[in-house]
Amino acid sequence: MAKARAIIKRLKAVRNVRKITRTMELVATARFKKAMDRAVEAAAYTRKISEIVSDLSDVISGESESFSHPLLQKREKEKKSILLVVTSNRGLCGGYNGGVLRLAQQRIRQAAADKIGLDVEVSGKRGIGFFKFQKLRTTATYTHFEDKPTYEQVNELASRFVASFVSGEIDRLDVAYTKFESMARQKATIETLLPIGKLEGPAAKKTGPKVEYEFLPSPKEILEEIVPASFKARLFKCLLDAAVSEQIARMVAMKSATENADDMIRSIRAQYNRARQSQITSELSEIIGGAAALE
């Protein structure tokens, strides 16, 4: 009887774990839908800004005017750069953080080999804990982005990056994050956001009729404002992509854990039935044996 009771206790424990993983799967699903909507809206905004930047660049080129912005200029020699690593605040999301942290380590080693000063800034408690465990120095840490990063939060961070780049304190900004491509595909990547590079966007590939603009003030003055806005939108999209990818990873991990719990429950039930059957058989044998001894 003791063995059957132990099996029942284990069965109850697995059922309780299953309830937790199933609940977390549902919560991640709800958060994913909200994060997905925000990411799609941000992608449309970023795409439209890129189109406008490309159209303005074409106008300036057509007028034989030159345009230069500090955020577009690549430095002749890279002396110092920043790597922003975006991870999650919570665990139980499979290998979501692992891919990003591996890429971050590769970037750190590459910078050391090239003798480039690299400041590492980390978003997310999981990344912060990893760098502490590895005894790697970080210059700034953030834990407030969660799964709902706001543009105001990102704007504050982006403004500091812009100021540092324009003043010459840094020559490059990289972001290590998980890029959302589709429900079935999310890819850990490192993307260079500063310098921005060429004034080209999706509009450069458009085959439809050309959009005619009336500019007030001039295209150059508009670009002075829109180039930093384009950078901030790209940084915001990186954080939104990371939030969506985190929820998808947690959904998949919790679904897998729930399915594993179902398999364990079926296996434990079979063990209990065998143990109970063996116990009943043993009790019947004792009864029959006792009855035979009384004859």
Side-chain angles (χ1 to χ4, degrees), residues 267-283:
S267 176
I268 293 171
R269 280 176 178 169
Q271 290 179 21
Y272 173 76
N273 291 336
R274 286 194 296 270
R276 183 62 179 155
Q277 185 178 7
S278 176
Q279 184 179 355
I280 292 172
T281 302
S282 177
E283 291 174 354

Side-chain angles (χ1 to χ4, degrees), residues 239-258:
L239 290 170
L240 289 177
D241 273 12
V244 176
S245 300
E246 177 189 346
Q247 298 309 323
I248 292 176
R250 186 167 288 109
M251 283 168 53
V252 172
M254 292 300 98
K255 183 178 181 181
S256 178
T258 302

Side-chain angles (χ1 to χ4, degrees), residues 7-197:
I7 293 175
I8 289 175
K9 288 182 179 180
R10 188 183 177 198
L11 180 61
K12 288 181 179 179
V14 174
R15 282 175 175 168
N16 290 336
V17 171
R18 186 196 179 282
K19 289 179 182 178
I20 294 172
T21 57
R22 177 59 178 164
T23 301
M24 292 187 68
E25 179 188 350
L26 295 175
V27 171
T29 302
R31 287 180 173 174
F32 156 73
K33 294 181 71 175
K34 294 180 180 179
M36 178 69 175
D37 292 341
R38 300 179 75 233
V40 169
E41 293 172 359
Y45 175 73
T46 304
R47 183 170 57 252
K48 194 61 181 178
I49 279 191
S50 299
E51 291 177 4
I52 295 172
V53 168
S54 181
D55 289 339
L56 289 173
S57 177
D58 291 341
V59 170
I60 291 176
S61 300
E63 295 177 354
S64 300
E65 295 184 19
S66 61
F67 174 77
S68 177
H69 192 283
L71 299 183
L72 304 174
Q73 297 173 357
K74 186 176 181 179
R75 307 290 161 78
E76 293 182 1
K77 186 176 181 181
E78 184 181 334
K79 298 179 180 179
K80 187 174 182 179
S81 61
I82 290 178
L83 174 64
L84 175 62
V85 184
V86 183
T87 62
S88 66
N89 278 332
R90 295 181 293 274
L92 299 176
C93 50
Y96 166 78
N97 294 308
V100 173
L101 293 172
R102 279 192 294 271
L103 288 179
Q105 285 183 300
Q106 293 174 12
R107 176 74 180 98
I108 292 171
R109 288 194 292 266
Q110 185 63 46
D114 296 339
K115 297 181 179 179
I116 297 173
L118 181 66
D119 288 346
V120 180
E121 301 188 6
V122 186
S123 172
K125 294 179 182 179
R126 295 294 163 173
I128 295 170
F130 173 82
F131 278 91
K132 283 184 179 179
F133 179 77
Q134 295 291 333
K135 296 181 180 179
L136 297 172
R137 187 178 67 89
T138 58
T139 56
T141 57
Y142 314 97
T143 59
H144 58 284
F145 288 114
E146 291 287 346
D147 59 331
K148 296 179 181 178
T150 64
Y151 186 79
E152 289 73 19
Q153 293 172 334
V154 176
N155 183 54
E156 182 180 351
L157 183 63
S159 297
R160 180 169 62 82
F161 289 147
V162 168
S164 297
F165 189 84
V166 171
S167 65
E169 294 179 16
I170 62 171
D171 304 309
R172 177 174 169 179
L173 169 66
D174 293 322
V175 180
Y177 72 107
T178 304
K179 185 176 182 179
F180 171 74
E181 296 180 357
S182 67
M183 271 290 295
R185 182 174 174 81
Q186 304 86 44
K187 182 180 180 182
T189 184
I190 294 182
E191 186 174 335
T192 301
L193 297 190
L194 290 176
I196 294 176

